[in-house]
Amino acid sequence: MRLRIATTTFLVAGILLMIGWPFIVGPAPRRDAPRSVQVAWGKRALAYFGVTSTVWLVTAACALGVIRQRRREIVEEQRRNLRELVEGSLRDHDGS
């Protein structure tokens, strides 16, 4: 359950980060802007892109964890169902 909550939280955070790009990073400076302004914007954009990318990678890792967890649950359920089927068949044959 915690893994699903983490996945959902990172998914929402990733979407919000993508929506917030123009507001947080701001518009790119003009070509004739001072070099220091362009470098500052570039650093800010690169850092923001790095954070956004990291959030999406963590989201993917959490989603894989959820898939693996669910897969284990399904395999265990299949084993349980097969065991019940075999035991039920044995009981049916013993009773005849």
Side-chain angles (χ1 to χ4, degrees), residues 28-38:
R30 296 171 38 131
R31 287 195 179 259
D32 59 350
R35 180 100 171 128
S36 61
V37 172
Q38 291 179 351

Side-chain angles (χ1 to χ4, degrees), residues 7-53:
T7 304
T8 304
T9 301
F10 280 108
L11 178 68
V12 170
I15 291 170
L16 291 176
L17 282 170
M18 289 179 66
I19 291 171
W21 169 271
F23 305 108
I24 296 170
V25 175
R30 296 171 38 131
R31 287 195 179 259
D32 59 350
R35 180 100 171 128
S36 61
V37 172
Q38 291 179 351
V39 168
W41 184 87
K43 286 181 181 178
R44 189 170 58 245
L46 184 62
Y48 195 83
F49 178 76
V51 169
T52 305
S53 298

